[in-house]
Amino acid sequence: MALSTEWFLTRLLDLSRYANVYVLLSFALGLFVFLRPLFVDSITSVDAPTVGKRSKYEPLFWVRTRFFGEAWPILRDGYKQVRASNPLLSLLRRTDVPNDTQFSKSRFRFVRSDADIIVISNKYVDEIRSLPTNVLSPIQAHVDNLLGKYSTTDILLESDLHTRMLQTKLTPNLGTFIPAMKEELQSAIAETFPECKGEWTPVQIHPIFLKLVARVSARIFVGIPLCRDAEWLDTSIHYTENVFRTVTAMRLFPRPIQPFISLFTPHAWRVPRNLRLAQQLIVPLIVERKRLQAEGDPSYRKPNDLLQWMMDAANEDEGQPRKLAHRQLLLTLAAIHTSTMAATHVMFDLCAQPEYIEPLREEVETAIREDGGWRKATLNKMQKLDSFLKESQRFTPPSLLAFNRVALEPVTLSDGFHLPRGTRFSMSCAEILHDPNVTPNPQTFDGFRYYKERQKPGENTRHQFATTDVNNLHFGHGKYSCPGRFFAANEIKMILAHMLLMYDFRFEPGQSRPKNMTAHEYIFPDPEGLIMCKERENLPESMFATI
């Protein structure tokens, strides 16, 4: 027994001499496991070429890193390469290829630091949107893109309560909310816009639009008085900013090490703080509404806003006040971010091409004059403004990718294309609309492009900013397209119409359009971009009357 103990202690002493070596080897192995996704393709079973390499010798980790700032050229290169591999589509004219942006057999792969994603042809749109969500999930893809737990968007996986309310309550009744939206917008403009009577004044338009969109959206989402509460507005705006800064920063790292990276990402700390503050503001409101309803006072009238609709329709789990408050905050993420960017891009495009300003202003004035003020259908008459908004989005979309899905089960499509479980895929919405087989003269900005299309027989209800089809995918397509897009279209057009009515605007002489900012597949207007504004004088009151 003594000998065996002595032998054991001797061996232990020998091993201790190499402890540092073992520690280093363990660290290296762990580092390899965590960083391996940077150096290898994570989807090896899908037959799709990887695009973005400058040469065959370029390390894959560098291609992944470059996607952050070079997403558009990488995706454009992939679209062109795959399309060129189909001689038929390269030679046929647009009229010979119905719906066909259908590039080749039709896929390529791009790599980000946090994921490999397959980009597929939009020829699969109708087939994919017919598949159940337990097979191909748009919600899971959306949550994955926004890094779920770090953005707090993972609650979307629990139910579709807010989507149901947008589709069944808000969209069918949009016209009835025009007076409230207009009232809130005019109040917000008066409080937010700088004084610019009689002289040209430099204005940073993006932060102003951010506040206008937040106010108007909140009027419909939570009603008065919370829609004017400075703390709620600040929380909703800062939550949006913190989520996107967290996402853009943390996507630079492989998913296995993101929990560690989040510890050193200040915006990631702020997101849950924003959520807690939102709950502190909204939960008491929900409790108070429930109390008033329970008392049965016949004089009490339930508010007509999205929060109340969700309260009324929620089941026991969905109706927990903290979860309702959480969903309200997520709605501001969708509403504020994209609408503010779209309106800002339009203002920059109008200043860059001022020949469109007077025709658009005339259309707005004519629509209001014909209706004797702002009616439910007045915005529908602003077809040129809608067209300009859609063309602006074609050149500067919020994202280069759309129709995102994750395969929760293995899927084989009708032409034999196989998607293994876990495959993430998208469609190249930006490049589709820059394809000459879809859009004639795609490199030319034609603000009235879609207005002219709508004047053709049978086309009047098509080609609108909020409508979708197999080629227009910025809002998705089908059942799971953006449920708030019609509200967003009305909100943006109302803001732009008021700008046209109330102000003259231009760039400073010699100034060009502010450059866009890109991060991964996202495109942002310059938040510090300046335009010059001057208030118009002697405006008739009828231009602002609500009927």
Side-chain angles (χ1 to χ4, degrees):
M1 182 66 179
L3 287 175
S4 61
T5 302
E6 182 180 350
W7 179 88
F8 174 77
L9 292 173
T10 303
R11 290 298 177 192
L12 188 61
L13 183 60
D14 289 340
L15 288 173
S16 68
R17 295 171 183 170
Y18 299 98
N20 290 338
V21 176
Y22 295 143
V23 169
L24 288 174
L25 287 174
S26 298
F27 177 77
L29 179 61
L31 196 62
F32 172 76
V33 169
F34 281 119
L35 297 183
R36 182 175 180 273
L38 283 174
F39 298 90
V40 298
D41 285 339
S42 63
I43 310 176
T44 57
S45 54
V46 178
D47 180 20
T50 300
V51 300
K53 281 194 170 187
R54 289 172 173 165
S55 77
K56 63 181 180 180
Y57 302 109
E58 184 178 17
L60 197 60
F61 82 88
W62 187 241
V63 182
R64 294 182 184 279
T65 302
R66 282 198 296 106
F67 186 81
F68 174 82
E70 300 178 23
W72 203 330
I74 287 173
L75 294 172
R76 181 182 295 126
D77 180 58
Y79 185 91
K80 289 180 177 178
Q81 280 188 40
V82 181
R83 200 180 153 72
S85 70
N86 187 335
L88 179 64
L89 292 181
S90 299
L91 295 173
L92 288 179
R93 299 171 61 85
R94 175 175 179 259
T95 54
D96 299 321
V97 190
N99 295 336
D100 275 297
T101 47
Q102 276 102 296
F103 46 87
S104 179
K105 288 188 177 174
S106 53
R107 60 250 181 201
F108 64 89
R109 177 202 331 259
F110 71 88
V111 293
R112 295 192 316 230
S113 295
D114 69 319
D116 291 7
I117 297 177
I118 307 298
V119 178
I120 68 173
S121 167
N122 61 333
K123 73 179 182 180
Y124 296 113
V125 164
D126 290 330
E127 182 176 3
I128 287 173
R129 71 190 182 101
S130 68
L131 294 172
T133 56
N134 62 344
V135 176
L136 296 178
S137 175
I139 301 300
Q140 184 68 61
H142 185 55
V143 171
D144 287 348
N145 271 337
L146 293 175
L147 303 185
K149 65 180 181 179
Y150 304 109
S151 60
T152 74
T153 54
D154 45 358
I155 192 177
L156 296 176
L157 299 173
E158 295 182 12
S159 85
D160 63 349
L161 174 63
H162 69 287
T163 298
R164 299 197 310 268
M165 295 304 98
L166 290 171
Q167 291 173 336
T168 62
K169 292 290 189 179
L170 180 58
T171 299
N173 300 295
L174 277 176
T176 63
F177 292 102
I178 294 298
M181 293 171 65
K182 183 180 164 298
E183 178 187 64
E184 201 61 39
L185 175 60
Q186 288 185 210
S187 173
I189 289 175
E191 295 175 20
T192 305
F193 220 85
E195 180 72 27
C196 51
K197 279 187 176 181
E199 60 181 18
W200 290 99
T201 304
V203 174
Q204 283 188 357
I205 201 66
H206 181 271
I208 290 175
F209 279 175
L210 197 61
K211 293 175 182 178
L212 299 184
V213 171
R215 277 276 297 269
V216 175
S217 299
R219 176 68 179 265
I220 308 305
F221 292 173
V222 296
I224 296 174
L226 193 59
C227 69
R228 298 172 183 175
D229 184 281
E231 195 170 20
W232 167 250
L233 294 172
D234 285 345
T235 299
S236 59
I237 289 171
H238 291 149
Y239 172 74
T240 300
E241 293 174 344
N242 288 327
V243 164
F244 278 94
R245 288 176 179 176
T246 297
V247 169
T248 54
M250 290 183 58
R251 272 195 187 179
L252 291 169
F253 302 92
R255 286 187 175 256
I257 64 172
Q258 285 178 354
F260 176 75
I261 298 299
S262 69
L263 301 176
F264 302 94
T265 307
H267 295 291
W269 312 338
R270 294 169 188 155
V271 169
R273 291 180 194 168
N274 296 146
L275 174 58
R276 287 193 296 271
L277 183 53
Q279 290 170 330
Q280 290 169 15
L281 294 169
I282 291 186
V283 167
L285 178 61
I286 295 171
V287 172
E288 176 66 8
R289 289 186 181 189
K290 287 184 175 181
R291 183 189 66 79
L292 292 171
Q293 190 172 345
E295 288 178 352
D297 184 347
S299 65
Y300 175 67
R301 295 289 181 268
K302 290 194 295 187
N304 187 26
D305 57 39
L306 188 56
L307 176 60
Q308 188 65 49
W309 303 335
M310 290 200 298
M311 290 172 59
D312 292 343
N315 59 33
E316 184 176 355
D317 181 63
E318 294 169 336
Q320 296 178 50
R322 294 182 69 81
K323 288 191 175 184
L324 289 171
H326 192 165
R327 287 183 182 276
Q328 275 293 329
L329 193 61
L330 290 182
L331 284 166
T332 68
L333 174 66
I336 293 175
H337 168 65
T338 52
S339 297
T340 299
M341 292 199 305
T344 303
H345 281 307
V346 168
M347 290 300 294
F348 289 162
D349 290 333
L350 282 173
C351 290
Q353 297 167 99
E355 65 273 16
Y356 286 101
I357 293 176
E358 280 307 316
L360 290 175
R361 180 176 286 151
E362 181 180 347
E363 179 187 61
V364 171
E365 291 175 346
T366 299
I368 297 172
R369 191 178 301 114
E370 288 178 352
D371 284 354
W374 288 78
R375 294 180 182 268
K376 295 179 182 179
T378 303
L379 286 171
N380 295 335
K381 294 184 177 182
M382 300 178 189
Q383 295 188 4
K384 292 179 180 178
L385 182 59
D386 187 274
S387 174
F388 195 96
L389 177 56
K390 188 176 180 70
E391 182 75 344
S392 177
Q393 185 191 62
R394 189 175 73 84
F395 271 81
T396 49
S399 174
L400 303 173
L401 300 169
F403 210 79
N404 302 289
R405 297 291 190 275
V406 174
L408 302 182
E409 299 291 341
V411 177
T412 300
L413 300 178
S414 57
D415 63 354
F417 176 33
H418 182 69
L419 294 164
R421 179 174 179 166
T423 303
R424 296 174 60 179
F425 64 91
S426 303
M427 296 185 185
S428 187
C429 56
E431 286 308 304
I432 289 170
L433 291 178
H434 278 80
D435 189 321
N437 287 312
V438 175
T439 306
N441 303 314
Q443 301 309 316
T444 300
F445 187 102
D446 182 354
F448 296 155
R449 180 189 300 275
Y450 298 103
Y451 169 78
K452 289 178 282 190
E453 290 293 320
R454 292 179 68 180
Q455 306 315 300
K456 297 177 182 178
E459 299 291 303
N460 186 53
T461 59
R462 301 183 62 206
H463 312 290
Q464 298 180 55
F465 175 70
T467 55
T468 67
D469 56 42
V470 295
N471 292 328
N472 291 273
L473 297 170
H474 289 304
F475 293 112
H477 185 49
K479 181 179 179 182
Y480 296 100
S481 53
C482 173
R485 65 191 186 278
F486 296 102
F487 171 74
N490 276 5
E491 182 178 49
I492 297 166
K493 285 191 288 186
M494 186 176 286
I495 290 172
L496 295 172
H498 277 73
M499 289 296 298
L500 287 161
L501 289 173
M502 298 175 67
Y503 300 97
D504 289 317
F505 43 85
R506 69 182 190 192
F507 284 140
E508 187 76 37
Q511 178 188 346
S512 59
R513 189 191 193 282
K515 291 184 178 181
N516 295 323
M517 304 170 66
T518 61
H520 306 291
E521 68 269 28
Y522 300 120
I523 300 175
F524 306 92
D526 182 353
E528 298 180 355
L530 291 172
I531 64 173
M532 305 296 291
C533 289
K534 183 170 70 171
E535 190 171 332
R536 298 178 71 212
E537 298 178 356
N538 302 320
L539 295 177
E541 289 294 324
S542 60
M543 289 292 105
F544 304 97
T546 303
I547 306 298

